[in-house]
Amino acid sequence: GAVVSQHPSWVICKSGTSVKIECRSLDFQATTMFWYRQFPKQSLMLMATSNEGSKATYEQGVEKDKFLINHASLTLSTLTVTSAHPEDSSFYICSARRGGVSTDTQYFGPGTRLTVL
Amino acid sequence: AQRVTQPEKLLSVFKGAPVELKCNYSYSGSPELFWYVQYSRQRLQLLLRHISRESIKGFTADLNKGETSFHLKKPFAQEEDSAMYYCALGAGGGNKLTFGTGTQLKVEL
């Protein structure tokens, strides 16, 4: 149990276009989802915390208008990279925590590799 | 602000040798510490957390508040232990995780 999927697993886009990444909890309800960014050979950096039905909370230095997060249901959160540029190329990872279990751990998705040309 | 330090980027040991992956943290509140593992081409997965006080795959980790450390240990390394290990600190009501930079463990035959 507690499986998180991401779609797509990789995407290549042109500079200036927008890209949407989906994060789904397949067998549980996730009241909280997290979005991370990972650069090559570096650690995961938390971008934002997403709570179902409310606005996401962004970490310092993360542009809200650049990285749009929507958590419309208990099993789906989306990250849209708007007007993508080459510097947005990275590995984006989401995680989800089960609802009603405040001490539960985070379950991670497999990640999405974004390459902006 | 919270911070997690993993001083070793790469740790290479022989099969059967003891392993210790170091992790130090900085946090003014009451911390919750985790070790996550990422095997080649797989997603990040929880290895253990300090509140569980359990041994997973032969690994243990003890929270030392005096030294602000949470080192991961295993008495006898196995080839299948080769992976990337991340130490993480959970803080705040939403249990946001702050990750260390990771240590690549390589177990050689």
Side-chain angles (χ1 to χ4, degrees):
Chain A
V3 179
V4 177
S5 70
Q6 281 184 243
H7 178 79
S9 55
W10 60 270
V11 56
I12 301 173
C13 70
K14 292 182 179 180
S15 185
T17 60
S18 295
V19 174
K20 180 184 284 188
I21 302 170
E22 292 185 348
C23 176
R24 291 182 185 272
S25 55
L26 299 185
D27 51 1
F28 66 99
Q29 293 185 330
T31 53
T32 306
M33 288 183 168
F34 304 85
W35 286 96
Y36 296 85
R37 184 173 179 177
Q38 185 178 32
F39 292 101
K41 299 187 185 296
Q42 294 189 32
S43 187
L44 285 77
M45 298 294 293
L46 179 65
M47 298 174 65
T49 302
S50 167
N51 290 296
E52 186 266 337
S54 63
K55 290 184 178 180
T57 302
Y58 290 81
E59 294 301 299
Q60 192 172 10
V62 178
E63 298 176 60
K64 301 178 183 181
D65 296 330
K66 176 76 172 175
F67 300 99
L68 300 179
I69 292 172
N70 183 283
H71 192 161
S73 77
L74 286 172
T75 59
L76 173 65
S77 176
T78 59
L79 168 67
T80 301
V81 183
T82 63
S83 187
H85 290 285
E87 56 265 30
D88 298 324
S89 297
S90 190
F91 196 56
Y92 293 88
I93 304 171
C94 76
S95 71
R97 197 177 69 201
R98 288 180 293 190
V101 187
S102 62
T103 57
D104 199 12
T105 186
Q106 294 180 27
Y107 299 93
F108 285 81
T112 296
R113 173 77 58 195
L114 170 63
T115 301
V116 184
L117 302 177
Chain B
Q2 50 265 28
R3 185 169 182 168
V4 177
T5 303
Q6 291 180 254
E8 302 140 329
K9 284 191 174 182
L10 173 66
L11 182 63
S12 186
V13 301
F14 286 106
K15 179 181 175 181
V19 175
E20 183 178 44
L21 302 173
K22 290 184 167 47
C23 172
N24 288 88
Y25 67 90
S26 174
Y27 181 55
S28 56
S30 182
E32 186 169 3
L33 275 299
F34 304 80
W35 275 99
Y36 282 85
V37 60
Q38 188 169 28
Y39 299 102
S40 179
R41 299 185 183 280
Q42 293 188 29
R43 71 186 66 197
L44 205 62
Q45 56 185 284
L46 179 67
L47 181 62
L48 52 80
R49 57 196 301 186
H50 91 271
I51 62 172
S52 299
R53 301 185 66 82
E54 57 188 349
S55 174
I56 305 294
K57 299 184 178 182
F59 285 97
T60 59
D62 292 317
L63 177 61
N64 186 323
K65 291 188 177 181
E67 295 182 357
T68 59
S69 68
F70 189 57
H71 303 326
L72 183 68
K73 300 177 183 179
K74 185 170 182 176
F76 307 104
Q78 301 298 313
E79 192 180 358
E80 55 266 29
D81 296 330
S82 295
M84 190 72 169
Y85 292 80
Y86 292 96
C87 182
L89 168 66
N95 260 327
K96 296 191 303 182
L97 291 177
T98 298
F99 283 86
T101 49
T103 298
Q104 180 73 47
L105 175 63
K106 184 177 180 182
V107 180
E108 300 183 76
L109 298 176

